[in-house]
Amino acid sequence: MAANNSLVPYDFFQQDIKLIIVQVLIMIFLCINLLLIITFFKKECFHGTARYILFAVTLLSDSLFNFNITIHVWLCVIISVPVLVYITVTPVTLTAMTLERYVAICMPLRHGELCSTRSTVRCIIIIHCLSSIPCIVIFSTFFASASLSFYKQYQLCSVEIFDVRQSHLRTAIYQLQFLIMCIIIVFSYVKIMKVAKAASGENKKLTTKGLKTVVLHGFQLLLCLIQLWCPFIEVAILNISLVRNVKYMNYVLFYLAPKCLSPLIYGIRDGCFFNALKIYASFGMYTRNVIRIAK
């Protein structure tokens, strides 16, 4: 018994360390996202370009986190609506950004027409409508089956409290959406690759960069898709301590990691955005140094 009791403080210590690591990672991520969002809104030249507008949508979407806390079910419903919608907003936006790269490289003469600011705003509205479908399905079945007394109960706020039986339905809807998005990304990649083979010089560099961007979007989408399978993997594990470790790794790898890729793909790889980011990150010191060197 003494040996078992001695393990309890160590186990709690491990959980505290893991919690602190996750909180630090989230704070760093949110600070980077905030800086990128400020850069977007401060620089007017980004406001008229489709890929930067869609990039800003992913930043705002990824900044929304759901923390599991014990609250009234009715309050959890209110909090969970935007969380459920924005779970899908990021991957759908990534698919739209992939299509924008496809139009820019494969249909350059129509890029200005198809990817104008007005068209991008319409695209964002469509993205949110498509992302709302799983949320509407989940809450429609929940409202039809839940009693009024259930709303007054205190529960750990998570999607699962709305009905465990809906987890399969929810996963099926998400996987159908992700399948369609994967087909679009593969189609765009194949088309861009064909143009890349025929291109030369500056066009070759542009198409190669476009291919890399599409591959990164595909990898990001894959991580989001694996996130949907994680609950089924966790249920199959019988060892409680092992389940905790698996849940922790799933959260870091398949929840946080996809969110961190968006700033990497456009915030750092894009030269124009990165130069603007350096100016605001250094509070203008970078610009003053460049001017001093030029003189």
Side-chain angles (χ1 to χ4, degrees):
M1 290 291 293
N4 288 336
N5 291 334
S6 65
L7 292 174
V8 173
Y10 178 73
D11 187 52
F12 275 108
F13 176 74
Q14 277 191 323
Q15 294 301 319
D16 288 342
I17 292 295
K18 288 177 180 178
L19 183 62
I20 291 168
I21 291 171
V22 168
Q23 288 176 336
V24 169
L25 289 173
I26 290 174
M27 288 304 297
I28 293 171
F29 169 74
L30 289 176
C31 288
I32 293 170
N33 259 25
L34 179 62
L35 185 58
L36 291 168
I37 291 167
I38 290 171
T39 302
F40 170 79
F41 283 108
K42 284 278 189 180
K43 206 75 173 175
E44 290 185 9
C45 64
F46 298 141
H47 300 172
T49 307
R51 70 177 183 271
Y52 294 126
I53 297 171
L54 292 172
F55 172 51
V57 172
T58 63
L59 291 175
L60 293 168
S61 172
D62 287 341
S63 298
L64 187 64
F65 281 87
N66 184 25
F67 297 98
N68 290 342
I69 52 174
T70 303
I71 54 175
H72 277 114
V73 172
W74 65 265
L75 183 58
C76 181
V77 170
I78 296 171
I79 295 171
S80 298
V81 168
V83 171
L84 278 171
V85 171
Y86 279 92
I87 282 174
T88 320
V89 164
T90 295
V92 176
T93 307
L94 288 174
T95 308
M97 292 169 80
T98 301
L99 286 174
E100 186 275 332
R101 288 292 82 199
Y102 162 72
V103 172
I105 294 169
C106 300
M107 306 166 64
L109 297 178
R110 299 198 62 192
H111 183 261
E113 174 194 349
L114 296 174
C115 300
S116 63
T117 305
R118 181 176 294 181
S119 299
T120 306
V121 172
R122 289 174 184 168
C123 179
I124 291 169
I125 295 170
I126 293 170
I127 285 168
H128 282 77
C129 289
L130 291 173
S131 302
S132 300
I133 293 173
C135 183
I136 292 169
V137 172
I138 290 166
F139 282 107
S140 294
T141 52
F142 171 70
F143 293 145
S145 58
S147 62
L148 290 174
S149 60
F150 183 67
Y151 293 97
K152 298 177 183 178
Q153 293 180 15
Y154 277 92
Q155 296 277 353
L156 186 68
C157 188
S158 66
V159 182
E160 282 69 27
I161 72 166
F162 301 122
D163 197 340
V164 177
R165 290 172 297 177
Q166 293 182 25
S167 62
H168 296 286
L169 174 63
R170 185 174 68 249
T171 304
I173 295 169
Y174 283 140
Q175 287 186 348
L176 177 62
Q177 284 186 326
F178 276 95
L179 176 62
I180 295 168
M181 288 185 275
C182 288
I183 290 170
I184 292 171
I185 287 180
V186 171
F187 169 80
S188 301
Y189 180 82
V190 171
K191 289 291 184 182
I192 294 172
M193 189 167 61
K194 287 180 179 178
V195 174
K197 287 181 179 179
S200 59
E202 289 297 320
N203 289 335
K204 188 77 172 178
K205 291 180 182 178
L206 178 65
T207 51
T208 302
K209 189 175 181 180
L211 282 172
K212 290 178 181 177
T213 302
V214 172
V215 169
L216 285 170
H217 284 335
F219 179 66
Q220 197 171 0
L221 199 63
L222 177 64
L223 292 179
C224 294
L225 179 60
I226 293 173
Q227 182 188 338
L228 299 177
W229 298 334
C230 290
F232 298 104
I233 298 170
E234 292 162 6
V235 168
I237 300 171
L238 300 177
N239 190 304
I240 296 174
S241 61
L242 185 59
V243 168
R244 289 175 181 173
N245 292 330
V246 170
K247 281 187 175 181
Y248 179 77
M249 292 304 297
N250 286 342
Y251 184 82
V252 173
L253 292 176
F254 306 121
Y255 187 75
L256 285 181
K259 290 177 180 289
C260 295
L261 280 175
S262 289
L264 175 66
I265 293 170
Y266 273 98
I268 297 175
R269 287 182 68 247
D270 188 280
C272 184
F273 200 95
F274 185 62
N275 288 333
L277 177 64
K278 284 194 289 188
I279 293 169
Y280 294 112
S282 61
F283 301 100
M285 291 178 62
Y286 174 76
T287 307
R288 288 195 289 270
N289 289 335
V290 171
I291 294 171
R292 193 180 298 115
I293 292 168
K295 289 180 178 179

